[in-house]
């Protein structure tokens, strides 16, 4: 009997209405559209505004759309996993909060924190639940309200990030579709280059931590860039070679959208032409855990059943990885 695999059977997504353009940022910090576009590829990002709005408010419409597309009720979901670095609060988890808002009463739910690689970590975890044979409907969401941890006076970070959520439904398949292999890695020595220093047990929130702006994202961009270029490219190459796949076998690379130059380097290493690389960084910026599922959501019409897709990510931790998916929908 063919082994059970976790097929992606529906995709949902959500980006908030409000848009922050490069021109808007020119009014906030000393930057310009040309610099942002040429160094990152970003033109605009979506921002979740409004009192009382949090990451779970990005998760909910993404999951609702997914359920509607698949023709199921949210309450049929057995497990909901949310990858995020911007949870509504430390606890309860954003997944717990989202279940309450979605009217899901019978699922177990939890968050995963692996920064920009969060979706791949969560997808691999969700797939393992399906492969175990114990679950039939697992939803994996990547969601971040990055605007909640951005210092809009810091030009080195505020131009990069946006808000959004993407979600996939995993169901068992015995025809060889779905998540077929993953290589995931982490290296805590990279933590000093990309972090949020305060608010945890190391530096609990105080008036001093707020004054020192330690509740905002900190990034030393150049070392992160250097590690990201080699990390994302190497792991993607390792994934395809260990599965005896060539560039011709790959229909699409769906990369984490942090910087177009990092994405180009990964595609080159895999021998893939630009036409096979899905890119929406120009419209959303870096939405951290949401970039990969938002890309699947955006380009669903282009992706066909049986297409081999490589998802690739690199981010804070450092964490990185690549996942091979055979498309089912
Ligand atoms: O998703 C999580 C993982 N994160 C990443 O993958 C991000 C990796 N890093 C990067 O993508 C890039 O390092 C950045 C886009 C963040 C920065 O690009 P860069 O080419 O590494 O620029 P840089 O930091 O070397 O700065 C070059 C110059 C500097 O000026 P000087 O020292 O050459 O005079 C900066 O001060 O650009 C200046 N600069 C800016 N100028 C205009 C930095 N930020 C800006 C800005 N507008 N927003």
């Amino acid at each position: 009997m063919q082994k059970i695999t976790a097929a992606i059977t529906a995709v949902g997504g959500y980006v908030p209405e409000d848009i922050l353009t490069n021109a808007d940022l020119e009014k906030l910090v000393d930057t310009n559209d040309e610099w942002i576009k040429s160094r990152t590829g970003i033109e605009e990002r979506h921002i979740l505004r409004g009192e009382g709005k949090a990451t779970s408010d990005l998760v909910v419409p993404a999951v609702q759309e997914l359920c509607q597309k698949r023709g199921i009720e949210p309450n049929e979901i057995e497990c909901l996993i949310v990858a995020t670095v911007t949870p509504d609060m430390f606890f309860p988890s954003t997944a717990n909060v989202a279940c309450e808002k979605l009217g899901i009463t019978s699922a177990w739910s939890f968050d995963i924190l692996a920064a920009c690689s969060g979706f791949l970590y969560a997808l691999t975890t969700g797939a393992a639940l399906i492969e175990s044979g114990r679950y039939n409907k697992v939803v994996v969401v990547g969601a971040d309200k990055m605007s909640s941890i951005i210092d809009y006076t810091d030009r080195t970070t505020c131009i990069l990030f946006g808000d959004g959520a993407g979600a996939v439904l995993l169901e068992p398949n015995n025809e060889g579709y779905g998540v077929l292999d993953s290589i995931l890695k982490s290296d805590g020595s990279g933590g000093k280059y990309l972090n949020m220093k305060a608010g945890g047990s190391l530096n609990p929130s105080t008036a001093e931590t707020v004054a020192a702006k330690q509740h905002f994202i900190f990034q030393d961009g150049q070392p992160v860039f250097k590690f990201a270029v080699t990390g994302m490219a190497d792991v993607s190459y390792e994934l395809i070679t260990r599965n005896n796949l060539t560039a011709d076998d790959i229909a699409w690379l769906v990369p984490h959208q942090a910087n177009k130059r990092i994405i180009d380097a990964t595609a080159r290493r895999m021998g893939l032409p630009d036409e096979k690389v899905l890119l929406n960084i120009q419209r959303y910026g870096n939405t951290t855990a949401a970039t990969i599922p938002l890309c699947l959501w955006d380009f669903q019409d282009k992706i066909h059943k049986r297409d081999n897709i490589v998802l690739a990510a690199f981010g804070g931790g450092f964490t990185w990885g690549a996942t091979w998916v055979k498309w089912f929908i």
Side-chain angles (χ1 to χ4, degrees), residues 2-328:
Q2 177 115 16
K3 153 179 187 285
I4 300 172
T5 52
I8 295 175
T9 56
V11 182
Y14 179 74
V15 286
E17 267 173 35
D18 276 8
I19 290 176
L20 187 67
T21 64
N22 290 351
D24 296 329
L25 286 163
E26 284 176 4
K27 294 179 201 132
L28 296 177
V29 290
D30 178 16
T31 192
N32 58 78
D33 178 54
E34 207 284 321
W35 191 97
I36 301 173
K37 276 203 296 223
S38 63
R39 298 283 177 134
T40 70
I42 302 168
E43 292 169 25
E44 58 188 35
R45 36 332 265 131
H46 290 246
I47 304 293
L48 181 64
R49 297 193 204 277
E51 192 87 356
K53 295 283 184 201
T55 297
S56 63
D57 298 299
L58 301 167
V59 174
V60 168
V63 174
Q64 280 169 333
E65 187 193 290
L66 168 158
C67 289
Q68 189 239 326
K69 277 186 180 165
R70 183 73 182 102
I72 62 167
E73 292 301 319
N75 217 16
E76 292 176 49
I77 296 167
E78 295 162 306
C79 178
L80 180 83
I81 309 175
V82 175
T84 187
V85 289
T86 52
D88 289 24
M89 9 181 178
F90 261 126
F91 67 90
S93 75
T94 302
N96 297 163
V97 176
C99 279
E100 160 71 9
K101 290 184 179 177
L102 285 158
I104 299 175
T105 51
S106 56
W108 59 299
S109 61
F110 58 97
D111 290 357
I112 281 185
L113 195 159
C116 300
S117 311
F119 182 75
L120 294 193
Y121 275 47
L123 182 66
T124 306
T125 306
L129 296 179
I130 296 286
E131 287 158 14
S132 76
R134 290 179 61 192
Y135 298 95
N136 292 309
K137 284 187 176 51
V138 173
V139 169
V140 175
V141 190
D144 271 299
K145 184 188 172 190
M146 294 305 292
S147 60
S148 66
I149 56 167
I150 294 297
D151 175 2
Y152 284 96
T153 65
D154 175 7
R155 71 174 182 171
T156 67
T157 51
C158 74
I159 55 137
L160 299 172
F161 295 96
D163 303 339
V168 299
L169 174 64
L170 298 177
E171 295 185 76
N173 183 276
N174 53 21
E175 298 167 320
Y177 290 96
V179 178
L180 299 187
D181 195 18
S182 262
I183 303 177
L184 300 173
K185 308 200 181 205
S186 68
D187 176 359
S189 70
K192 56 184 170 293
Y193 303 116
L194 180 51
N195 56 50
M196 192 174 95
K197 293 189 171 50
S201 55
L202 178 64
N203 299 304
S205 313
T206 61
E208 287 74 28
T209 62
V210 172
K213 298 189 168 190
Q214 290 179 344
H215 297 268
F216 292 126
I217 193 168
F218 164 82
Q219 177 169 255
D220 188 353
Q222 275 192 5
V224 178
F225 184 89
K226 209 176 99 206
F227 282 101
V229 164
T230 48
M232 206 159 101
D234 287 353
V235 76
S236 304
Y237 184 75
E238 189 184 339
L239 179 81
I240 61 169
T241 48
R242 93 166 177 190
N243 287 289
N244 300 315
L245 297 166
T246 65
D248 286 344
D249 300 319
I250 310 295
W252 306 107
L253 170 67
V254 183
H256 170 54
Q257 315 271 316
N259 189 315
K260 187 168 180 307
R261 292 181 289 147
I262 300 172
I263 294 170
D264 291 344
T266 303
R268 269 199 307 277
R269 181 80 204 279
M270 295 169 74
L272 292 179
D274 289 353
E275 308 84 73
K276 289 190 172 184
V277 181
L278 298 184
L279 209 66
N280 58 9
I281 190 172
Q282 64 280 12
R283 288 188 290 135
Y284 304 145
N286 182 350
T287 53
T288 303
T291 59
I292 291 174
L294 271 179
C295 220
L296 294 173
W297 177 65
D298 250 359
F299 291 104
Q300 235 195 113
D301 291 348
K302 275 186 133 181
I303 309 175
H304 297 112
K305 190 164 184 171
R306 280 183 284 280
D307 279 356
N308 286 310
I309 304 178
V310 172
L311 316 176
F314 187 95
F318 292 137
T319 55
W320 68 107
T323 298
W324 171 29
V325 174
K326 191 176 270 292
W327 201 246
F328 177 70

